Amino acid sequence: AEHADLVLSEASRLFAEIPCGDDLDWLFRLRSSELFLNLWKQAAKDGLATRRPVEELLAEQGVTQTDPRRTCTSCLQEFPSRSALFRHLAEAGTHGSGVEPDGGPTATVGQDVMAASMLPCVKASWGELQEGVQQSSLSVTQFNSAFGHLSEAQCLGELALLAYSPGQVAAKVAPPWLPAACGVARGFYQLREQRRAFPALVQLREGAAEALFGGTPPEEDDMCVQLREWNLAAEAAWAEMKIADVTQLVDRCRQVAALVSRSQMEVLVSLSGAQGLLTWLRLQSSQEEFNQLLNVARQNTDEPRLLGAIAALVQ
């Protein structure tokens, strides 16, 4: 009834009583943030890790013949069912449950516990990550742990959300550090791609020297030597390097990376592990026989991209 008659301009007063009311604007903006979700999950795991097993608590109280799956770890009260326990936990707010039947830890907490315990941990982690990105003080491994599971586009979107601080009113202008942070992020993804592609290029060059490069030894190929040196430098620096230094390492081989497109690079990386295929292709002297083999392959697949590739090879 109150909701039906509520004047919209007075709706904000209802949020004043919510434990996390001061952070609602910030939390709402992060509702689709993968980064925030992972921080929240980690805070929950850390909280569960500090909880004592319910069996240990019961033993200290001399309570026996109690099912820990239906027992509150705070008041040690046993309930007739798990649903009854969950209702108790929701009402108590600050109480915790025991373990699931499979032995995995679980906890059901109310808003008071989340606002008082978990949310401050998440806010602290968010602030530390924001400061590390803003000052480019994160190591590459730390940046990879936080953002490496995302695509480059997703990472740039998360950085835009990271610009918001808890309790901060939305700013109309992006903070001055955000463009530089996005540039560093792009450099990170380029570095990660180069660490995957350049060793494969060296492997391809060394394994197919006679077939594709006229027998020129790899050690006499300036580009191959440059890539070898870059690979050694990248592997040595990866564990300790700060994200502020990423661009400098990427620029060392930017000219090499610019020689081929991303699609061409993918083909070369795939070929690096297929020396037998390269040898077979080199031995195909008859275009007519090769086209016949492609026609056989065409009849055994309906994958559009594969059919397109086969059509491009037929002359």
Side-chain angles (χ1 to χ4, degrees), residues 140-153:
V140 170
T141 52
Q142 288 174 322
F143 192 91
N144 186 53
S145 177
F147 299 97
H149 63 289
L150 303 172
S151 67
E152 181 177 335

Side-chain angles (χ1 to χ4, degrees), residues 20 23 26-27 36 40 113-124:
C20 57
D23 295 311
W26 177 65
L27 293 172
F36 178 79
W40 190 267
V113 175
M114 288 190 291
S117 300
M118 294 179 61
L119 186 56
C121 294
V122 175
K123 290 166 66 175

Side-chain angles (χ1 to χ4, degrees), residues 43-108:
K45 290 179 180 179
D46 293 342
L48 284 174
T50 62
R51 302 183 68 87
R52 298 175 64 189
V54 65
E55 296 90 343
E56 182 179 326
L57 297 171
L58 293 172
E60 288 184 358
Q61 300 293 326
V63 179
T64 58
Q65 297 182 346
T66 301
D67 187 350
R69 296 170 298 178
R70 295 184 284 106
T71 303
C72 174
T73 58
S74 299
C75 63
L76 301 182
Q77 180 181 355
E78 183 179 11
F79 293 85
S81 65
R82 293 284 283 172
S83 59
L85 170 63
F86 290 148
R87 285 195 297 270
H88 163 76
L89 297 172
E91 295 172 358
T94 58
H95 291 197
S97 64
V99 295
E100 292 285 3
D102 62 1
T106 182
T108 304

Side-chain angles (χ1 to χ4, degrees), residues 212-242:
L212 301 178
F213 300 96
T216 304
E219 56 272 14
E220 296 180 8
D221 187 327
D222 292 341
M223 182 178 296
C224 185
V225 172
Q226 182 182 1
L227 289 178
R228 281 176 171 174
E229 294 175 349
W230 188 95
N231 292 338
L232 293 174
E235 291 306 311
W238 177 262
E240 303 295 335
M241 183 171 50
K242 301 295 185 181

Side-chain angles (χ1 to χ4, degrees), residues 187-195 230 238 241 249-250:
F188 164 79
Y189 282 93
Q190 290 177 344
L191 173 61
R192 197 172 66 170
E193 179 63 21
Q194 289 177 0
R195 287 183 71 235
W230 188 95
W238 177 262
M241 183 171 50
L249 184 59
V250 170

